[in-house]
Amino acid sequence: MPAPLAPDFRPRYHQLHRVGRPGVWRSVVGAVLLIVLVFGVVPLVAGGIAFVTLLATGSTSREASAVLDVTEEATPAGLALLNVIIAAAIPLTFLVTWWLHRLKPRWVSSVAPRLRWGYLLVCLGLSVVALVASLGVALLLPVQAGDMPEGTVNDFTTQTRDFLLVILLLTPLQAAGEEYLFRGYLTQAFGSLVWARRASETLAVLGPALIFALFHGLSQDWPVFFDRFAFGVVAGILVIRTGGLEAPIAMHVLNNFLAFGLALAFGDLTTALNAEGGSSWWTILSTLTQSLVYLGLATWVARAMGLVDAGPPVGGAPLPPAGGDPELVGPPPRV
């Protein structure tokens, strides 16, 4: 059994479960429960409601199934349903954090404890800079024809308009939902399993990154898997370095906007939603450039803005000034 926390212990993001209710089992149960809820229960409930709604509006059961199944052919309604299902991870993460650990849900967002909107908006701009850097590298790589979008622009139809509305309104929530689940709760859960500092940080980064990559499909080829795993690793490092989810959310939102936007303009959204193969190892160099440039910029800006990466002492002692962020001076995160 671990020793009691020292009164001056300042938990970093991945250590926050340690200041909640005692018991490592809570983090394990919470992680399994969230995965079952997000990928099992919520799809059944939300999908059932959407299916019944379509039947009530006059659709046949076959038509309703075709509308909602994005694996066969993506539709605006199917994409909206998918986004809502994944976005449900945000309130579910809040609920499990409070119920199992008796921690206020706001501690999942950051050690502030809140979503630091100013930093999030800055990170959106930084993600564009990193994207431009990756495009510069991509121009120098020997890519195959299938790796680049075709020059012909797709026709703009009413379905394209509906897709755009769904992407603009719901994709940010979908991206945030994945981050609250994988880089949020799972990072805190894995970080609480061991007490050695380096081991805790490593497990908190690699564990969620591996699960994140696996849950994008078991049939994906190695370049696609590695790309998603690398994204998870960089996002996990950013969470620990910056003390919150803002940087990963911004990068995730921009990546999804770009992928869906290119698919709508030049390709096929069904293929983009179910991409599991066809990538070249050369493209990894481009995406790694994007991730590493973003990692450096987001870390530097977080320090320049005076953001802290640890919460207040568990004993509730006043903190010394930390970059001018007054919200960190106060009681420990336990409710």
Side-chain angles (χ1 to χ4, degrees):
M1 184 175 180
L5 298 174
D8 60 348
F9 173 71
R10 292 184 60 189
R12 301 184 73 191
Y13 185 88
H14 63 293
Q15 300 171 320
L16 282 169
H17 280 185
R18 298 179 185 175
V19 298
R21 281 180 168 178
V24 172
W25 66 268
R26 297 182 186 275
S27 297
V28 177
V29 170
V32 174
L33 178 61
L34 273 174
I35 289 174
V36 170
L37 288 173
V38 174
F39 296 103
V41 177
V42 173
L44 285 176
V45 174
I49 293 174
F51 186 80
V52 171
T53 301
L54 288 174
L55 292 180
T57 59
S59 299
T60 65
S61 59
R62 178 174 296 181
E63 291 171 341
S65 298
V67 167
L68 300 177
D69 187 5
V70 297
T71 61
E72 294 297 329
E73 182 177 356
T75 64
L79 179 60
L81 175 63
L82 178 64
N83 285 343
V84 168
I85 288 173
I86 300 177
I90 300 175
L92 289 173
T93 297
F94 290 166
L95 178 62
V96 171
T97 297
W98 175 83
W99 178 55
L100 276 176
H101 306 279
R102 282 300 188 266
L103 292 170
K104 292 181 179 179
R106 60 187 182 179
W107 289 96
V108 186
S109 298
S110 78
V111 296
R114 57 184 170 81
L115 198 64
R116 298 165 294 190
W117 286 100
Y119 180 55
L120 175 60
L121 293 176
V122 172
C123 284
L124 286 173
L126 297 178
S127 63
V128 174
V129 175
L131 174 62
V132 172
S134 72
L135 293 177
V137 172
L139 293 176
L140 304 175
L141 298 177
V143 296
Q144 301 174 359
D147 296 328
M148 298 296 292
E150 298 179 3
T152 304
V153 179
N154 295 332
D155 294 333
F156 188 90
T157 64
T158 55
Q159 186 181 60
T160 306
R161 177 204 62 198
D162 294 342
F163 270 128
L164 280 175
L165 289 174
V166 171
I167 291 170
L168 290 174
L169 296 177
L170 295 180
T171 292
L173 293 176
Q174 170 261 323
E178 290 192 41
E179 293 309 311
Y180 270 89
L181 173 60
F182 293 106
R183 253 65 62 184
Y185 189 90
L186 290 188
T187 292
Q188 295 178 348
F190 275 96
S192 70
L193 297 182
V194 295
W195 284 77
R197 177 172 171 249
R198 291 298 182 188
S200 176
E201 291 178 352
T202 301
L203 196 58
V205 170
L206 296 183
L210 179 61
I211 297 176
F212 173 76
L214 290 174
F215 267 85
H216 278 80
L218 297 178
S219 60
Q220 56 191 317
D221 63 16
W222 282 108
V224 175
F225 174 83
F226 181 81
D227 182 69
R228 288 165 173 164
F229 178 73
F231 173 90
V233 170
V234 171
I237 293 173
L238 278 170
V239 168
I240 295 177
R241 282 189 178 182
T242 66
L245 298 176
E246 298 87 359
I249 289 174
M251 182 167 64
H252 203 148
V253 169
L254 180 75
N255 283 354
N256 286 5
F257 274 164
L258 178 66
F260 294 156
L262 288 176
L264 279 180
F266 302 103
D268 175 62
L269 199 58
T270 303
T271 303
L273 286 170
N274 300 283
E276 294 186 339
S279 292
S280 166
W281 282 107
W282 285 107
T283 60
I284 299 298
L285 294 178
S286 175
T287 55
L288 279 180
T289 298
Q290 178 188 7
S291 296
L292 294 177
V293 169
Y294 185 71
L295 174 63
L297 289 175
T299 302
W300 176 76
V301 169
R303 292 171 180 170
M305 294 178 66
L307 300 184
V308 294
D309 62 358
V314 295
L319 287 174
D325 193 339
E327 293 200 23
L328 279 174
V329 180
R334 184 178 299 172
V335 174

